[in-house]
Every structure is written in C-alpha cells, then in structure tokens.
C-alpha cells in the first residue's frame, strides 16, 4: 500500500442492527469513490483503493458477513446491500459519489444506481461485474461446483497471480469458506445474475463505464459488452491480458480507463 495514503478503519452503525466496517483512504470530502469488493474479499481491491486515494477520498466497505464481520438476518440479497450502501453514503454525508465495483461489487453498484433517488451516485464503474442475465451459456460459467484451483485458472490470465491454496493457514481457509457462504446468500438462486436486472438498467442515465478483463474465463467479453449496452449512457473499456480481476493483473490500464472516463464523460468541461 502507498505510504502516503494511510488507512483508517471504523465500524458504522446504520440502524436496524446493521453495522458496516469501512476502510477510508485519502482526504475526507463530500465527493468520494465508494469501492465495492468481489467475492474474493477486500484484499482484491486494496491496491486499486490505494492508487485512487492519491487523487480522491476512497471508502472501501467490507460486505457484512465477509472477513468475520457480522451480518444481520434481513440483509440477504444484492439489492439489500445496495440499499445499505445508499444509507452509508447518507450517513457519511457524501454528495457526489463514483461507485466502483468488481464482480458482485459491480452488481451492487448497478442496483445502487437504480435505487439512488437522491442523485448522489453520479457515476459508476463496473469491473468484470456479475448481475445481468447472459445471452447464452457460452457467456457465463457457474463456478459453484468447481474446486478453488479451477476457479482461479478461469479468473486469472497470468498464472503468477493465482493464489497458492497450499500456503493458506487453517484460519485463512475457514475465513475464505465463510466468505463464500455469505456470497451465496447475497447472490441468491441464480448466483451470478438477477433475472430482471438487465431490462431495468435502461432506466439508469448515470454515466457508466464497464471495464473488462478480456481473458476472463468466468464472464466472457461478450457478456461485458452486453452489460455496457444495457445502460442508457454505458461505455466499454476492454483490458487486454487480464481476467476477472484486471485491477490486479493490469492496474495501470484500469486506472487509465477510469481516468479517461472521468475526463471525457463524467467531467468533460473541467480542465
């Protein structure tokens, strides 16, 4: 992590027994990036959070139930998480927020854009996001029946980035298994998508960037392009030589795509 961007961790109480633990980086402001992690947990977006915090206030919540945090019983879907994070934005008194999400985090971001009646989500970035129904079985792989080693082969283009499960401690294995059980609760029966989300996204006029690692073996590039086309103001940025986690395999290209999106779409009239 960049030494110039220290991290503050705190747990916020949002009512109805809901508490969310957040990491904060950068100088606090009414304008922020809300960065939402994948089923792989917060570590999968820590590097991106550190890089972005050199330019903007970055908030990275841990989805309740991940990393041994508590999850209240009524928080049981991606839509529930979207509502919770909109409450978080209000609690933090944020006025303009870019929501960036990887994998299931991108799905949450999409649901937030649909529900943001106060207009605080001013742009969203989806990084190899789950969420929409695919056009066919060739666009998506249901990983639930696959062993972890097979999932990582599908997820990472470069073998050097694939985790070595043999080196995990018993505690790390237990936490990872608990994370996956929590993700299964949120993702629901169809796991990788909500059946009706795709047709609803046409209502979202918020500027949207879909960043896609083109070598993703879980979600195809065609799926990513279809995701971008689902939005009224959707844009697509392919990332070469990267899989499901391009922010890990090609961080420079991902940051460049986000920067271009901000300069040319979100704030085109600013110097």
């Amino acid at each position: 992590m960049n030494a110039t961007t220290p991290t503050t961790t705190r747990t916020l109480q949002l009512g109805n027994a809901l508490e969310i633990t957040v990491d904060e980086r950068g100088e606090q402001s009414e304008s922020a990036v809300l960065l939402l992690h994948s089923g792989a947990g917060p570590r999968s977006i820590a590097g991106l959070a550190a890089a972005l915090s050199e330019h903007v206030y970055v908030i990275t919540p841990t989805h309740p139930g991940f990393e041994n945090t508590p999850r209240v019983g009524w928080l049981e879907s991606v839509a529930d998480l979207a509502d919770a994070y909109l409450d978080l934005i209000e609690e933090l008194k944020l006025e303009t927020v870019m929501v960036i999400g990887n994998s299931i985090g991108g799905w949450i971001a999409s649901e937030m854009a649909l529900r943001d009646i106060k207009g605080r989500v001013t742009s969203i970035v989806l990084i190899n996001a789950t969420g929409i129904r695919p056009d066919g079985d060739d666009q998506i792989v249901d990983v639930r029946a696959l062993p972890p080693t097979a999932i990582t082969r599908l997820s990472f283009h470069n073998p050097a980035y694939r985790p070595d499960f043999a080196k995990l401690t018993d505690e790390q294995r237990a936490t990872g298994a608990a994370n996956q059980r929590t993700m299964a609760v949120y993702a629901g029966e169809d796991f990788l998508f909500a059946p009706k989300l795709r047709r609803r996204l046409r209502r979202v006029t918020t500027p949207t960037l879909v960043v896609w690692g083109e070598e993703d073996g879980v979600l195809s590039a065609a799926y990513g392009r279809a995701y971008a086309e689902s939005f009224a103001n959707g844009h697509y940025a392919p990332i070469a030589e990267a899989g499901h986690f391009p922010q890990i395999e090609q961080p420079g290209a991902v940051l460049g795509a986000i920067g271009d999106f901000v300069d040319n779409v979100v704030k085109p009239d600013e110097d």
Side-chain angles (χ1 to χ4, degrees):
M1 183 179 297
N2 193 313
T4 64
T5 56
T7 303
T8 299
T9 301
R10 58 176 169 147
T11 299
L12 301 172
Q13 309 292 330
L14 297 182
N16 293 324
L18 173 63
E19 60 180 52
I20 296 179
T21 298
V22 301
D23 288 344
E24 297 169 280
R25 297 174 175 88
E27 185 176 351
Q28 289 193 8
S29 168
E30 292 182 348
S31 177
V33 166
L34 181 69
L35 184 53
L36 304 177
H37 66 77
S38 69
R43 286 183 294 275
S44 63
I45 46 87
L48 180 59
L52 289 170
S53 68
E54 296 180 17
H55 310 282
V56 67
Y57 175 37
V58 180
I59 303 146
T60 54
T62 297
H63 306 327
F66 277 76
E67 304 299 304
N68 301 311
T69 59
R71 179 184 65 85
V72 292
W74 58 263
L75 195 69
E76 57 185 8
S77 69
V78 169
D80 290 338
L81 278 173
D83 288 335
Y85 288 141
L86 288 170
D87 287 344
L88 175 65
I89 286 173
E90 189 162 356
E91 175 69 19
L92 293 173
K93 297 180 172 57
L94 302 176
E95 294 298 328
T96 59
V97 181
M98 169 183 280
V99 183
I100 302 176
N102 175 218
S103 194
I104 194 172
W107 181 357
I108 300 166
S110 296
E111 296 279 5
M112 289 179 69
L114 277 171
R115 290 167 167 74
D116 178 35
I117 60 174
K118 295 187 177 180
R120 292 178 175 176
V121 176
T122 53
S123 58
I124 61 175
V125 177
L126 313 182
I127 303 175
N128 287 73
T130 60
I132 64 169
R133 184 192 291 274
D135 289 321
D137 293 340
D138 59 331
Q139 289 189 351
I140 195 168
V141 174
D142 190 336
V143 298
R144 284 176 288 186
L146 299 179
T149 52
I151 296 172
T152 58
R153 283 196 298 271
L154 293 173
S155 299
F156 289 96
H157 170 68
N158 187 338
Y161 290 100
R162 297 171 188 167
D164 185 350
F165 294 101
K167 294 182 179 179
L168 297 181
T169 65
D170 290 342
E171 182 179 1
Q172 288 172 324
R173 292 176 190 275
T175 298
N179 286 350
Q180 292 308 301
R181 289 193 295 271
T182 298
M183 188 173 74
V185 171
Y186 289 136
E189 180 180 357
D190 293 301
F191 193 64
L192 292 174
F193 63 90
K196 297 180 181 179
L197 177 62
R198 187 171 179 176
R199 66 177 177 81
R200 290 172 175 164
L201 291 179
R202 60 182 171 78
R203 303 172 188 161
V204 176
T205 58
T206 307
T208 301
L209 175 66
V210 176
V211 176
W212 214 262
E214 292 190 294
E215 303 302 324
D216 190 347
V218 180
L219 305 170
S220 72
Y223 182 86
R225 288 190 291 270
Y227 217 140
E229 292 167 1
S230 300
F231 292 92
N233 191 5
H235 305 262
Y236 182 74
I239 306 295
E241 298 184 358
H244 196 62
F245 304 100
Q247 74 276 9
I248 295 176
E249 295 192 86
Q250 300 292 344
V254 171
L255 287 168
I258 294 172
D260 288 344
F261 173 62
V262 171
D263 291 341
N264 298 318
V265 179
V266 180
K267 300 177 179 180
D269 298 326
E270 296 186 14
D271 294 334

